[in-house]
Amino acid sequence: MEGFKGTNGEWSLHPHASACVCLKDGRIIANCGGYCNSIEFERIVAENEANAKLIAAAPELLNACIEALKYVSAEEPAYETLHAAIDKALK
């Protein structure tokens, strides 16, 4: 992925820590969890896991945005949205 300065490789949820994103060798890319002493513990754990899933999909989502931009004309509303998302990821 040209311009991407992040970690190359397939990102997925850690098999033993569902709020962590890692490579196949176990190297952690992002940790979306942490200590939580709250009455809303279950909701926060679910949010942390959802955040990790989104981060794990980020490389594929970025590639999809780059590909989609090839088929969207500059006059369409999605054009600016795609450009903004790509810029946010690469700059």
Side-chain angles (χ1 to χ4, degrees):
M1 189 175 351
E2 190 175 323
F4 180 65
K5 296 178 180 101
T7 304
N8 290 319
E10 184 180 330
W11 297 7
S12 62
L13 297 185
H14 193 282
H16 305 293
S18 60
C20 288
V21 180
C22 67
L23 296 174
K24 286 186 179 201
D25 66 2
R27 177 181 166 209
I28 293 177
I29 302 294
N31 183 350
C32 297
Y35 178 75
C36 175
N37 185 11
S38 171
I39 59 172
E40 298 183 75
F41 177 80
E42 289 181 17
R43 180 187 63 80
I44 292 170
V45 166
E47 281 181 6
N48 290 346
E49 290 176 358
N51 292 339
K53 288 177 183 177
L54 180 61
I55 292 169
E60 290 90 349
L61 292 169
L62 178 57
N63 281 334
C65 287
I66 291 168
E67 278 300 305
L69 196 57
K70 296 176 185 177
Y71 303 99
V72 177
S73 72
E75 294 80 32
E76 294 183 50
Y79 185 84
E80 287 302 319
T81 302
L82 288 167
H83 253 294
I86 293 166
D87 287 348
K88 187 175 184 178
L90 297 180
K91 294 185 179 173

